Amino acid sequence: MEETKNGTTMVVFDGDLDKAIASFIIATGAAAMGKNVTMFFTFWGLNVLRKDNVISGSDKTMMEKMFGKMMPRGPEKLALSKMNFGGMGPKMMKKMMKNHNVSSLKEMIEMAQDLDVKMVACTMSMDVMGLKEEELIDGLDYAGVASYLAEAEESNINLFI
Amino acid sequence: MNVTKTVDAKGLACPMPVVKAKKAMDELQAGDVLEIISTDKGAKADLPAWTKSSGHELVEQTEAGNEYTFWIKKG
């Protein structure tokens, strides 16, 4: 059987809860369909991968610390892109998701890792936003634009979310 | 029909039915039949799409109330 392009690539640029959920539903779905899935996290998307515990980061500059404080730490802290209502929106959506048996974002991330979805953190945007490897979840790859483009060339589905 | 394995995906929302189907199918041999039951309305279209794209064969699909049952032969 000839299979030339069997990849799905995704740039996760936004750090909104709703967009992150959509990204992970597509990623896990694609993995279930036998695709080689690569998610490339850049800029606000990196916040989806943050651990929720505070990392002291004594080696951080003043600005890096500020960024770290202001940005959401991980899937439980993300805001909605619409109807956020100062945090009430995500609470309501999580309740609705639970009622409809939709997995939580955290569970979806674990499921994606279990299905061998490759998650890549963009090192350039990590530097720009002052994020360190120890602040992000385990099991990530660290790379730049060339790695993403090389993966995208092997894909027939490519999304920017 | 000889069902090799049954997956109960009732109550699970998208994308879980296809994820469950994939995991179960990985353990089967070519020619084996997987039975999967879902209550997700989207699964009605999704499981046939997954079957086609994964190179399997949809032998039969039934609908009773809000339950959808699929029999998929591994390709």
Side-chain angles (χ1 to χ4, degrees), chain A residues 60-71 128-130:
Chain A
K60 282 196 177 190
T61 65
M62 189 67 184
M63 272 235 279
E64 285 173 339
K65 279 183 193 161
M66 260 170 61
F67 264 81
K69 273 222 168 76
M70 289 188 295
M71 296 187 304
V128 171
M129 323 234 326

Side-chain angles (χ1 to χ4, degrees), chain A residues 24-26 28-29 31-35 100-103 108 111 114-115, chain B residues 10-16 18-20 22-23 46 49-51 53-54:
Chain A
F24 274 94
I25 289 180
I26 299 170
T28 50
M33 291 179 100
K35 301 259 178 199
H100 289 280
N101 270 316
V102 177
S103 314
M108 282 184 209
M111 203 197 312
D114 185 43
L115 290 165
Chain B
K10 288 193 284 251
L12 298 174
C14 173
M16 284 315 287
V18 288
V19 171
K20 290 262 182 196
K22 144 97 169 123
K23 288 200 160 175
D46 270 20
W50 171 82
T51 305
S53 148
S54 316

